[in-house]
Amino acid sequence: MSTPENENTPTDADVSEDAPQEAPPEEQLDTSTTEPEDMSQQLRSENADLQDRLLRTQAELENFRRRTQKEAIDAIKYQALPIIRDFLPGVDNLNRAIDAAEQTGDTQTLIDGIKMVAQQFKDALKAHSAELIDPLGDAFDPNLHEALSQVPSADHDPMTVLQVVEPGYRIHDRVIRPAKVIVTSAPPAE
C-alpha cells in the first residue's frame, strides 16, 4: 500500500547515478531569476512610493509652518484693530463737538459733546474688558494704586485713598495702569 507521500518520491530504481535530477530549464528560470527580480522591483517601487510620501509630508509640514508663522505675525501686527475700530466713533464725535462749538460759540454744546465722547470711550474700554479702578475711600493697595503724596488726616485711617488724581484700569486680574492717588497719613503728634 502506498501513501500519497511515497507516490511522487522516486525509488532507487528510477534514479540513476549518471542522470542528475534537475528541473527543466524553463522552470529553473521561473523560480531562480524572476521571483527575486519581481521582489526587488516591488521593493524599489515601495521605496520610491515611501520617498515620495516623505517628500510630500515634509513639504506640507513646511507650508504649515510658514502659514502658522504668517498668521502669528498678522495677529500681532493687527491685534489693536478691534480697539481702534471701537475708538474711532469717539474721535469722530469729539471732532464734531469741537466744530459745533466753534460755529455756534456755545461752550455748553462743547461740554455736552465731550461728555458724550467720554462715555463712548468708557463703553469701548468696557467692551474690551477694561475695568476702571476708582478707589476713593478704599484702603491703599500698592498692587492697584500709586501714591503720589500723603496728607495728614484725623478723619480717616492712615493709608486711606483720599483723592484719585488719575483713575487706573485693569483687564481681568492684570493692572494696565495703577490709579494715581493721594492717601492719608496719621495726624502729627501734638
Side-chain angles (χ1 to χ4, degrees):
M1 182 189 240
S2 69
T3 61
E5 297 171 359
N6 294 339
E7 287 180 8
N8 293 332
T9 307
T11 60
D12 291 336
D14 292 339
V15 178
S16 68
E17 289 183 44
D18 295 330
Q21 271 302 81
E22 290 185 14
E26 292 125 6
E27 288 179 21
Q28 265 187 346
L29 267 177
D30 287 341
T31 58
S32 64
T33 57
T34 55
E35 281 183 19
E37 225 174 80
D38 286 345
M39 187 174 235
S40 175
Q41 183 62 31
Q42 181 182 1
L43 289 173
R44 283 190 192 110
S45 174
E46 285 179 20
N47 187 13
D49 184 45
L50 289 173
Q51 284 180 344
D52 182 53
R53 279 201 263 165
L54 175 66
L55 290 175
R56 288 177 188 272
T57 303
Q58 286 175 336
E60 286 176 17
L61 179 62
E62 186 60 32
N63 289 339
F64 175 76
R65 283 183 186 149
R66 285 188 194 132
R67 188 172 52 248
T68 304
Q69 185 178 21
K70 183 184 181 312
E71 288 171 0
I73 289 170
D74 285 350
I76 292 169
K77 190 176 183 180
Y78 299 111
Q79 69 185 353
L81 195 63
I83 297 169
I84 292 170
R85 282 187 182 138
D86 287 346
F87 276 91
L88 286 177
V91 172
D92 293 340
N93 286 333
L94 187 58
N95 288 328
R96 285 187 198 106
I98 292 168
D99 290 343
E102 286 176 346
Q103 290 175 1
T104 63
D106 183 14
T107 56
Q108 188 57 43
T109 305
L110 179 61
I111 291 170
D112 292 342
I114 291 173
K115 285 180 179 179
M116 182 182 72
V117 171
Q119 187 58 48
Q120 281 184 311
F121 284 142
K122 288 176 186 176
D123 292 343
L125 287 168
K126 191 174 184 178
H128 291 280
S129 302
E131 296 176 37
L132 179 70
I133 301 173
D134 189 6
L136 186 62
D138 295 346
F140 177 76
D141 181 354
N143 296 315
L144 301 174
H145 315 133
E146 179 182 332
L148 299 177
S149 66
Q150 290 185 333
V151 175
S153 173
D155 299 334
H156 300 92
D157 292 335
M159 299 306 290
T160 299
V161 176
L162 187 63
Q163 182 182 354
V164 178
V165 177
E166 188 175 86
Y169 288 91
R170 68 176 159 206
I171 292 179
H172 306 292
D173 62 343
R174 183 175 289 177
V175 175
I176 300 169
R177 180 181 77 188
K180 294 181 180 174
V181 297
I182 296 174
V183 296
T184 61
S185 64
E190 293 181 21

